[in-house]
Amino acid sequence: MEVVCNLLRTVIHATPDDLLPVVYLFSCCIAPPHEGLEFGIGESTVLEVVADAYGIALDRIKEWNKKDLQIQCAEQTLLAALGQAAMYNEEDSKLPPEVQSPLEEVSHLIEISEKCVIARISSSDSFLQGWSTMLAIKVGHGEAADIVKQAYSVFPDFDKIVSALLTDGVWLLPKTCKFTLGVPVHPMLAKPINCVSDALTKFKGIEITCEYKYDGERAQIHYLENGLVEIYSRKSERITGKFPDVVAAVSRLKKIIVSSFVLDCELVAYDRAMHKILILQELSTRARKDVGTSDIEVNVCIFAFDLLYLNGQTLLQENLIIRREHLYASFEEESEFLQFATSITSNDAEEIQKLFDKAVGARQSIDIMQKKPNLMSGSKTVFEVKASDLTCSSEYPAAIGLVNPDKLLTFIVGGGDFTFSIKGSLRGARLVAVAKMYKAQEQRKESNKQSNMTNEDKDGDEDADKGDHRLSR
DNA sequence: CCTGATGCGTC
DNA sequence: GTCGGAC
DNA sequence: GTCCGACGACGCATCAGG
């Protein structure tokens, strides 16, 4: 924590322009999730790079990978290893004496990087903690962390948040970075419990509200003033192209008075002839890219359960009951296309149990959930902000670097930038960059080691490491 | 052109 | 989505 | 309790190889 704090402090003082890259470095991503920028590096890629960098046959690497090497979380591992390797300084650059073969060296790097990654990621939002702690120190207040977290949960865009922080400071953050149409807010997730009575115990004395949790795909639908529609998935990926029918339905079924909205809903496969909900598996057979309205085979019904934004104004500060009223008032139900999620508000155990049984009995794939207490008690705090809301997507946990708009891939490591221009396809270009990076690092270490070894022992594959190089935790 | 391996998203 | 370990 | 990783099933998208 202190290290993170000092790092950020130093960056802000010395090279404020680097703050954004550093923030991305810490937050394990290269762009806001809805922009769809990804590294696209998987396990096989890592193996290729490793093979290439060491001049070892790919087949052999693959064999090792099966048995001894245990490369997991490929992208995270490799990138972290690269970053860590690049950060070696004179004192630290010595490999342990037992590390002899290239394979062991790779394993060693992976091991180091694993620690690095764990240290960073396992403290949940260490980046934000450091951030906010630092800011809190700066302004002599302990609330900074919450403000930053709140801002990010509602407006997950570091580009804007960082620049707003630098120019206007943390206290204005709620104003400079607020919920914005077209930027998906982190969805509120349900938390599993064992039975209805557990929930009642937990929420004792608080009025609660319950609703069906339909078995489909979570969607957050943004409708802009100009009629443009965007749909975002649970992980804030833009999935508009997968659901042209939903775009049409939502445009048609919004009431006249509605000029813009953000609808939180579940997209459920639906048999319109039979008026029947279909299982999730049916939904998953839909094509995903550039779907035309005419070639849709599996229809969906929108089960709407929340309205986060309406006619130019956020509803996030309202409680769930109010938001529901807005929801009901803003759309026409049409059973084949859009339905409101079945719900009741009650603290009577039997009534709730009845709804639960109905959900289970009538439609096997539907269960029931309870919203968070502050959402149903009329509290002003609508979207509870937790550390988990800030967790980066697990898919790309350790992106070291970022892709600039001008198509440069930049690695920010070891106090220096390594920039490679992108040629050809993005994917291929990234691989080249990674490979170059790796080789450059190799050379650096080579010259550091000097005295040791005449050359890399390319054939040093004998029995590799029996030690525990696995990435266990 | 088809096919299997791989990647990656959904739950 | 579930599970279980760490705090 | 909370957080966060590992884990599983499934199906589309993509691409290398035949």
Side-chain angles (χ1 to χ4, degrees), chain A residues 57 96-97 228 298 415 460:
Chain A
L228 183 73
V298 178

Side-chain angles (χ1 to χ4, degrees), chain A residues 355-367:
Chain A
L355 182 71
F356 177 76
D357 293 341
K358 195 171 139 203
V360 173
R363 331 180 190 206
Q364 49 198 11
S365 63
I366 294 173
D367 60 15

Side-chain angles (χ1 to χ4, degrees), chain A residues 65 76 213 229 240 276-277 319 363 403 444 469:
Chain A
N65 186 41
Q76 137 186 345
K213 181 179 176 298
V229 180
T240 315
K276 220 177 67 182
I277 286 179
N319 71 52
R363 331 180 190 206
V403 176
R444 185 189 299 188
H469 279 297

Side-chain angles (χ1 to χ4, degrees), chain A residues 162-194:
Chain A
V162 165
S163 85
L165 278 169
L166 286 176
T167 54
D168 299 317
V170 67
W171 302 115
L172 288 178
L173 203 55
K175 295 200 169 149
T176 48
C177 289
K178 38 188 181 184
F179 183 78
T180 304
L181 202 52
V183 179
V185 64
H186 194 289
M188 191 188 62
L189 304 177
K191 203 182 82 175
I193 51 173
N194 287 326

Side-chain angles (χ1 to χ4, degrees), chain A residues 42-49 58 62 74:
Chain A
E43 183 180 78
S44 70
T45 302
V46 171
L47 296 181
E48 279 174 39
V49 170
L58 185 57
K62 282 184 177 170

Side-chain angles (χ1 to χ4, degrees), chain A residues 151-439:
Chain A
Y152 187 79
S153 86
V154 144
F155 189 76
D157 185 336
F158 284 132
D159 295 50
K160 303 261 169 41
I161 289 182
V162 165
S163 85
L165 278 169
L166 286 176
T167 54
D168 299 317
V170 67
W171 302 115
L172 288 178
L173 203 55
K175 295 200 169 149
T176 48
C177 289
K178 38 188 181 184
F179 183 78
T180 304
L181 202 52
V183 179
V185 64
H186 194 289
M188 191 188 62
L189 304 177
K191 203 182 82 175
I193 51 173
N194 287 326
C195 57
V196 170
S197 59
D198 279 6
L200 290 171
T201 310
K202 184 175 170 175
F203 298 132
K204 203 172 175 188
I206 303 170
E207 194 180 31
I208 54 182
T209 185
C210 316
E211 70 190 17
Y212 282 13
K213 181 179 176 298
Y214 298 86
D215 194 12
E217 198 171 329
R218 182 77 173 264
Q220 194 177 114
I221 306 177
H222 290 230
Y223 187 98
L224 280 59
E225 302 281 349
N226 61 9
L228 183 73
V229 180
E230 295 286 3
I231 307 177
Y232 300 100
S233 74
R234 184 187 134 161
K235 289 189 179 168
S236 295
E237 308 269 347
R238 183 184 276 112
I239 52 173
T240 315
K242 183 178 174 183
F243 296 104
D245 46 344
V246 171
V247 172
V250 100
S251 306
R252 182 167 61 83
L253 294 171
K254 78 171 183 59
K255 291 189 176 168
I256 298 280
I257 48 162
V258 175
S259 60
S260 61
F261 62 82
V262 174
L263 181 67
D264 202 359
C265 58
E266 192 82 7
L267 303 179
V268 183
Y270 200 78
D271 184 331
R272 290 194 179 134
M274 304 294 289
H275 279 247
K276 220 177 67 182
I277 286 179
L278 302 175
I279 60 175
L280 176 67
Q281 203 161 321
E282 293 287 339
L283 181 67
S284 71
T285 63
R286 281 179 63 125
R288 290 173 191 162
K289 304 194 83 177
D290 303 323
V291 178
T293 315
S294 51
D295 41 50
I296 290 176
E297 287 176 1
V298 178
N299 286 313
V300 303
C301 181
I302 303 163
F303 284 86
F305 52 79
D306 210 343
L307 192 65
L308 311 181
Y309 185 97
L310 177 64
N311 290 344
Q313 291 195 320
T314 173
L315 298 178
L316 291 181
Q317 77 284 0
E318 308 290 348
N319 71 52
L320 177 59
I321 304 300
I322 303 282
R323 297 203 304 273
R324 268 200 199 131
E325 283 168 10
H326 283 296
L327 170 66
Y328 299 154
S330 301
F331 292 88
E332 301 286 352
E333 268 193 296
E334 196 173 291
S335 65
E336 299 92 350
F337 291 89
L338 188 154
Q339 298 180 29
F340 299 130
T342 301
S343 70
I344 60 168
T345 299
S346 162
N347 51 10
D348 176 52
E350 281 195 25
E351 212 176 331
I352 293 173
Q353 185 69 47
K354 241 165 65 187
L355 182 71
F356 177 76
D357 293 341
K358 195 171 139 203
V360 173
R363 331 180 190 206
Q364 49 198 11
S365 63
I366 294 173
D367 60 15
I368 190 171
M369 69 170 182
Q370 298 197 297
K371 300 278 192 179
K372 303 241 167 191
N374 61 345
L375 278 179
M376 22 185 141
S377 60
S379 153
K380 285 286 182 189
T381 318
V382 172
F383 267 67
E384 189 188 33
V385 180
K386 305 174 300 169
S388 65
D389 292 337
L390 304 160
T391 307
C392 308
S393 109
S394 57
E395 286 72 32
Y396 298 94
I400 296 185
L402 72 161
V403 176
N404 293 329
D406 59 354
K407 307 251 183 202
L408 293 179
L409 179 66
T410 305
F411 283 97
I412 316 292
V413 283
D417 290 5
F418 297 78
T419 305
F420 308 96
S421 42
I422 285 181
K423 292 171 187 154
S425 76
L426 272 185
R427 175 174 290 257
R430 287 170 185 162
L431 293 191
V432 171
V434 169
K436 279 190 188 170
M437 176 81 187
Y438 205 86
K439 279 178 172 165

Side-chain angles (χ1 to χ4, degrees), chain A residues 35-230:
Chain A
E35 290 181 7
L37 270 182
E38 294 166 355
F39 268 85
I41 298 170
E43 183 180 78
S44 70
T45 302
V46 171
L47 296 181
E48 279 174 39
V49 170
V50 170
D52 186 40
Y54 279 108
I56 302 170
L58 185 57
D59 288 350
R60 194 183 259 174
I61 289 280
K62 282 184 177 170
E63 276 305 302
W64 286 341
N65 186 41
K66 279 187 199 143
K67 292 185 294 190
D68 309 309
L69 201 51
Q70 294 288 329
I71 293 180
Q72 298 176 359
C73 305
E75 178 178 73
Q76 137 186 345
T77 304
L78 176 69
L79 291 174
L82 291 170
Q84 193 66 34
M87 278 189 263
Y88 274 14
N89 57 30
E90 282 303 318
E91 303 94 295
D92 295 339
S93 62
K94 287 268 188 285
L95 291 171
E98 69 272 16
V99 175
Q100 300 283 331
S101 70
L103 176 59
E104 287 186 18
E105 195 173 325
V106 171
S107 299
H108 179 68
L109 280 178
I110 289 169
E111 205 176 355
I112 294 171
S113 71
E114 181 71 2
K115 286 175 191 155
C116 162
V117 168
I118 287 174
R120 176 160 44 73
I121 293 179
S122 66
S123 57
S124 67
D125 51 347
S126 65
F127 135 70
L128 277 166
Q129 289 294 353
W131 240 127
S132 0
T133 306
M134 171 194 61
L135 291 162
I137 291 168
K138 204 172 170 187
V139 297
H141 200 294
E143 300 298 315
D146 290 336
I147 291 180
V148 177
K149 288 178 190 175
Q150 175 72 45
Y152 187 79
S153 86
V154 144
F155 189 76
D157 185 336
F158 284 132
D159 295 50
K160 303 261 169 41
I161 289 182
V162 165
S163 85
L165 278 169
L166 286 176
T167 54
D168 299 317
V170 67
W171 302 115
L172 288 178
L173 203 55
K175 295 200 169 149
T176 48
C177 289
K178 38 188 181 184
F179 183 78
T180 304
L181 202 52
V183 179
V185 64
H186 194 289
M188 191 188 62
L189 304 177
K191 203 182 82 175
I193 51 173
N194 287 326
C195 57
V196 170
S197 59
D198 279 6
L200 290 171
T201 310
K202 184 175 170 175
F203 298 132
K204 203 172 175 188
I206 303 170
E207 194 180 31
I208 54 182
T209 185
C210 316
E211 70 190 17
Y212 282 13
K213 181 179 176 298
Y214 298 86
D215 194 12
E217 198 171 329
R218 182 77 173 264
Q220 194 177 114
I221 306 177
H222 290 230
Y223 187 98
L224 280 59
E225 302 281 349
N226 61 9
L228 183 73
V229 180
E230 295 286 3

